[in-house]
């Protein structure tokens, strides 16, 4: 599966059997994302850094 990178607009490839909590990285800009939702062939990503920030508050 391919998802658009929110940071640079590049394509991120994810395995077909991706699961929530898996980390994927954008090859173009190096940002790491965590998969927060998998629904059929729709995947939602959240930047891993922003998740860590939430934990700190
Ligand atoms: Zn990117």
């Amino acid at each position: 599966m391919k998802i658009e990178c929110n940071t640079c607009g590049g394509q991120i490839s994810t395995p077909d059997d991706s699961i929530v909590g898996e980390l994927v990285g954008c090859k173009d800009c190096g940002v790491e994302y965590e998969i927060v939702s998998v629904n059929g062939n729709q995947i939602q990503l959240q930047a891993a850094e922003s998740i860590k920030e939430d934990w700190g508050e």
Side-chain angles (χ1 to χ4, degrees), residues 4-12 25-31 33:
E4 190 173 298
C5 174
N6 290 330
T7 302
C8 71
Q11 295 272 293
I12 302 172
C26 175
K27 285 179 193 156
D28 291 334
C29 66
V31 171
Y33 292 96

Side-chain angles (χ1 to χ4, degrees), residues 23-45:
L23 290 174
V24 294
C26 175
K27 285 179 193 156
D28 291 334
C29 66
V31 171
E32 278 212 317
Y33 292 96
E34 182 172 343
I35 296 171
V36 293
S37 167
V38 180
N39 185 4
N41 48 16
Q42 282 203 318
I43 292 183
Q44 284 201 320
L45 300 179

